[in-house]
Each structure stands twice: as structure tokens, then as C-alpha cells.
Amino acid sequence: MSTDASMRIPAPLAGIRVLDFTHVLAGPFCTRLLADLGADVVRVESSKHPDHPWQSTFVSADGRHASYLNTNRSKRSIAIDLKNEMGQKIAARLAAVSDIVIENFSAGVMDRLNLGYEMLSAINSRLIYVSMSGYGHSGPRRDWTSMNMNLQGYSGLMTVSGAEGDPPTAISNSWNDYIGGLHACFAILQALDERRDSAKGRRIDLSQFECSAAMIGSLLLSSAVDGKVPVRRGNRSDRSAPQGVYPCAGKDNWCALSVETNNQWQALAKLIGQERWATDARFENLAGRHENQNEIDQAISTWSKQYSSQEVKARLRAAGISADRVRRINEVVDGAAGSTVFSQMAERRVGSMRTTKLPFTLSSVDLPTPASAPSLGEHSGEVLRAWINCSDADIEHLKREQVLQ
């Protein structure tokens, strides 16, 4: 099929308006995904409560942290004081012409700002209204305060990470925020698809706690069936043995491998100089290799320490065994494979910056090129003019009333 300019397809969410009341990371990550897919995302911000996902060593002249620049790329910004009654009315007018309103405040905050679902859906029946609080907007936990760490703890995730004997172990890098953002994006796409037939909006009430619990579903199911607490495997696996990371020549160099079949096991035994293990009854099946994995790990480590991680990987792969060397973050960023993970984004504050991109491509679809994150209130005037037909005089009046701040 030809992929010339005449055959190109607009971005999936081109023309979709998103009014974004989110802050920190979970919500902004969701709306960044929407922007990457072509949506017009307008952040509602205020100088009284400046937002950034976390403190960064780089802070721009307009007060934007490096973390903000990546999470809020390709969006616009309008400054509105939502504690101001006139500001609430302006936000409601914007919602009336939006496709999506999204917020990740604690339960009840948007209602107190006169911007709750019941009020906004009454003036926009096609509105998809997304709430993504820590524990959802109903039930006994609705008023609980949430952060990534306590969500991981309460969901049970910390007790299935790490190895037996370890203290509860979190997955680093704000796992819950990213998982929550992904689930919210998926729900929004489904709601948009359904709206094409029904012409009606929906309320999406997302619980980030439940997102975390859903990611360990098989372990929860196993515990529900047999009443036992799942064993903490660390780098090991119920379905593969041996599996783990093994030291290689040099300082702090490692290679990861996983043996899934008996043929792979026999190949590994031969490779590490333990040919007799290929016929040893102790190792003839997965259960036996699990039981004796400490002995197996010691033999693999003795062998792997003789070679570089690159050489260990090459020898294992040549034998048909799944393996790869363990890379540090700087190697991921600077390595040749980084070109498929990262792109250089034009960012006016620093010239350009490396940023992650969507981990997929769509044939014949023109996805937008990532653009600089906005300054606070940078697009207030243009959004007010384009979305709700405010005149210059209207905008000046709002400024005098200290609404646009």
C-alpha cells in the first residue's frame, strides 16, 4: 500500500479537546499520552499552586522543572484561579465545549469548586469526565490521601516484590502514577469509541490503588484459591529455573538469563561445564531445578565470572537460552538502541532535550511532533478566544478581576 502524503491519516485524537485539571504525575502522564495521540490538551493551572512532578536540578527561568517539561510536553496552559467564583464559571464554560475533563484531586475537591461531574455533565451531555484519585470516589477509602508509596503498600505489591526475608520492597520510579495514567488513557479511548455510537459522555472513576492491585492479578488469584501468601521470588520465577542475574568479569557487571525448557536446561548445563547435570534426576524437571537452584546459581556464577557480560550474553544466546546483559540507565540513554526509545524534542528553554516517545508506531498515521511544555498561563488568551469566544475586552476584565492567575 502506498504511504505517500495523499494516503496519510490524521492523528487518532486530532480535534479532541481535553481540559486538564491534573497535577503531579499520574494525571499529567495520562494527558501527555492523549497529547501524543493528537489531542488538544489545555492545562488549567494557577500561580497560587504551581505544579511540578518532583524537584529537579534544572529549573527554567519561568519556574518549570525538568520533570515538568517532559511530562507536559505538547500541551497548552491557561491560568485560572479556581478559588475565584468568576474563575469557576470560566472553567465551567470551557468544560461545556470540551470532549474530556480530567482531574486527579482527592475525592470531593471538584464538587467544592463547582466543577463536579453532575454540574458539568448537565451542560455538556457528551462530556467524558475522568476522576483518578488514589482510592476512587466511592467506598470506605474515598477520603484517604494517596501517594505512590502507600498505594504500593496497600495494594500488596510490596510483599510480592523482592525476595523472601527482604522488607517490603517498592518498585521504583513512581510505578503507581504511570500505571494509573495508562489505565486512565485506556478508559478514555474506550469512552470516546463508545460515544461515537451513543453520542453520550461518561464518568470514569478510576482508583489508582485498584490499578496497582490489577497488576498482580495472578498472584491475588492464586492466594484466593489456596489461601496461601505467594512466595516472594525476587529474580526467580515460578515458571522458569534457573532464572536470575549472574556476575560477570569486571566491577558490578551482570547478565540476566531465564531457562524455560528442558532443552535449554541441557544446553546450559553443557555450556557451563556441568554436562552430567543434563541427565541428573535432581534437575530433570522444573520442580527439581527450583529445589536445587542455589546449587545451580553457584555454578552459573562461577562460569559467568570468567567473561564479560557481552560475552556471557553471546554464549547463552548461541546456545538458545534467553539472556541479556544488565545495562545501567546511562547505557540505555546513550546506547545505539536508544534511537528507538528516545527522540530529541525542541524545547525552547534548553534548545532541545531527549525525551521518551510513544513505544509504538501507527502505519500511515501522522502523530504530532512533541513540542515544548507551556509556561504557566501562556495560552490563556488564545484558548479563551478560540473555545468560548471571549473578546479582548472580556479577557482584560478577567485580568483586572485577578481571575487569570
Side-chain angles (χ1 to χ4, degrees):
M1 177 182 290
S2 172
T3 57
D4 62 23
S6 65
M7 301 292 290
R8 304 304 294 177
I9 301 170
L13 299 185
I16 296 296
R17 288 176 171 177
V18 180
L19 195 60
D20 179 7
F21 293 90
T22 66
H23 59 290
V24 188
L25 184 54
F29 177 63
C30 172
T31 55
R32 193 196 83 180
L33 294 174
L34 300 178
D36 286 343
L37 291 170
D40 180 11
V41 178
V42 174
R43 288 184 53 76
V44 179
E45 305 182 276
S46 174
S47 59
K48 295 184 177 181
H49 301 283
D51 177 42
H52 49 80
W54 53 82
Q55 297 286 339
S56 305
T57 54
F58 170 82
V59 182
S60 64
D62 61 350
R64 296 309 201 191
H65 289 244
S67 53
Y68 183 98
L69 301 184
N70 185 35
T71 307
N72 292 288
R73 69 187 187 211
S74 304
K75 303 176 187 179
R76 297 195 286 173
S77 171
I78 182 171
I80 304 178
D81 180 5
L82 295 177
K83 297 295 181 68
N84 183 308
E85 183 178 352
M86 193 178 297
Q88 294 172 9
K89 291 179 179 179
I90 288 294
R93 288 176 62 190
L94 292 168
V97 294
S98 297
D99 295 286
I100 299 160
V101 162
I102 179 168
E103 56 90 11
N104 64 336
F105 292 112
S106 299
V109 170
M110 290 292 277
D111 287 326
R112 291 193 293 273
L113 295 172
N114 297 310
L115 295 168
Y117 171 71
E118 297 298 335
M119 175 173 288
L120 297 186
S121 62
I123 59 175
N124 183 355
S125 62
R126 291 175 53 83
L127 182 66
I128 295 168
Y129 189 105
V130 186
S131 298
M132 46 187 307
S133 62
Y135 296 93
H137 282 238
S138 62
R141 296 177 292 271
R142 70 183 300 272
D143 295 321
W144 290 11
T145 300
S146 68
M147 289 295 287
N148 170 61
M149 184 62 72
N150 58 286
L151 287 168
Q152 289 198 42
Y154 193 73
S155 68
L157 181 62
M158 286 185 178
T159 60
V160 296
S161 302
E164 288 295 316
D166 289 348
T169 304
I171 298 175
S172 66
N173 197 35
S174 298
W175 162 266
N176 254 94
D177 292 292
Y178 289 110
I179 288 299
L182 283 170
H183 278 81
C185 183
F186 172 79
I188 289 167
L189 296 178
Q190 189 280 330
L192 284 169
D193 184 61
E194 192 275 338
R195 193 182 69 172
R196 291 189 302 176
D197 295 326
S198 70
K200 294 181 180 179
R202 286 286 182 269
R203 180 172 191 180
I204 297 171
D205 184 9
L206 178 140
S207 161
Q208 293 185 49
F209 149 66
E210 292 177 26
C211 292
S212 186
M215 294 295 96
I216 52 175
S218 60
L219 295 175
L220 291 173
L221 178 61
S222 174
S223 184
V225 170
D226 61 22
K228 297 179 181 179
V229 176
V231 175
R232 300 175 73 189
R233 295 291 188 188
N235 290 325
R236 295 180 178 180
S237 168
D238 289 328
R239 296 177 294 278
S240 303
Q243 176 176 286
V245 293
Y246 299 90
C248 302
K251 182 180 179 181
D252 198 28
N253 292 318
W254 305 82
C255 190
L257 69 85
S258 182
V259 171
E260 300 177 278
T261 68
N262 287 334
N263 286 340
Q264 288 178 333
W265 163 246
Q266 292 170 9
L268 177 65
K270 181 179 179 180
L271 181 64
I272 65 175
Q274 299 290 340
E275 290 89 343
R276 68 186 188 283
W277 282 0
T279 56
D280 191 323
R282 293 181 302 153
F283 309 120
E284 65 181 2
N285 55 38
L286 179 62
R289 295 195 290 274
H290 269 142
E291 186 175 344
N292 295 282
Q293 184 151 345
N294 287 341
E295 181 180 354
I296 296 171
D297 283 351
Q298 185 174 359
I300 296 173
S301 296
T302 298
W303 169 78
S304 63
K305 287 178 181 178
Q306 304 173 76
Y307 310 104
S308 69
S309 58
Q310 192 71 38
E311 178 69 15
V312 170
K313 177 190 78 171
R315 291 181 179 230
L316 288 167
R317 286 188 174 183
I321 299 163
S322 299
D324 226 320
R325 65 189 185 91
V326 177
R327 295 196 296 168
R328 296 170 179 81
I329 294 298
N330 65 307
E331 293 180 278
V332 175
V333 172
D334 297 329
S339 62
T340 64
V341 179
F342 304 98
S343 63
Q344 286 297 129
M345 179 181 75
E347 170 45 68
R348 63 180 185 270
R349 299 164 182 86
V350 293
S352 69
M353 63 180 287
R354 187 172 295 181
T355 181
T356 52
K357 56 185 179 181
L358 288 174
F360 57 83
T361 59
L362 299 172
S363 59
S364 302
V365 174
D366 287 322
L367 293 175
T369 301
S372 292
S375 296
L376 194 152
E378 178 181 349
H379 306 96
S380 296
E382 68 181 56
V383 171
L384 291 170
R385 293 184 187 94
W387 283 30
I388 58 175
N389 299 314
C390 282
S391 66
D392 289 346
D394 294 331
I395 294 170
E396 287 304 314
H397 175 67
L398 292 172
K399 289 179 179 178
R400 287 194 301 272
E401 297 296 320
Q402 299 186 327
V403 173
L404 304 181
Q405 62 176 13

